[in-house]
Amino acid sequence: MKYKVTLNNRVYEVEVEQGEAMLVDEYELAAPAAPAAPAAAAPVAAAAPAAPAAPAAVAAGEPVKSPMPGNILKINVSQGQHVEEGDVIMILEAMKMENEIVATKSGTIAQIAVSKGAVVETGTVLAVIA
């Protein structure tokens, strides 16, 4: 079984097989260290901006959502850039596979909602196409 363990803003992916543990991957969290100082305020502050950002992004155009949990390896577009339907806009790493995230329609990138190295869940808005 594989587990992800977060310790001191670093994520360790560990595989356990028949009582033996083996480190598979290690990476830093995308969150800055400064907001983590106030322990009680950080979770509330982090949760509050995330919720309002999604409705604002949906109103600005068509959201491109993450089809699965993973890490953003590469962002191929910038805000204001024109894309055609099917263009690769990001690379999402999930389960050691690089998955191409493509534009769902032709238009202009109105917003890029994630950054390189970000850990995303299924349904997370990655970008908005207007």
Side-chain angles (χ1 to χ4, degrees), residues 25 53 64 70 90 94 96 112 115 118 124:
D25 195 12
V64 177
M90 293 184 194
K96 304 296 178 202
I112 297 176
S115 59
T124 301

Side-chain angles (χ1 to χ4, degrees), residues 23-49:
L23 181 63
V24 177
D25 195 12
E26 173 185 350
Y27 49 90
E28 288 192 40
L29 288 176
V44 173

Side-chain angles (χ1 to χ4, degrees), residues 63-83:
V64 177
K65 297 182 179 181
S66 175
M68 64 192 80
N71 302 319
I72 302 298
L73 290 182
K74 185 177 180 183
I75 299 175
N76 296 339
V77 295
S78 58
Q79 190 168 334
Q81 181 177 339
H82 180 75
V83 293

Side-chain angles (χ1 to χ4, degrees), residues 60-64 83 89 102-111 127-130:
E62 183 174 324
V64 177
V83 293
I89 59 173
V102 298
T104 53
K105 70 173 195 170
S106 296
T108 303
I109 301 293
Q111 179 184 9
V128 178
I129 302 173

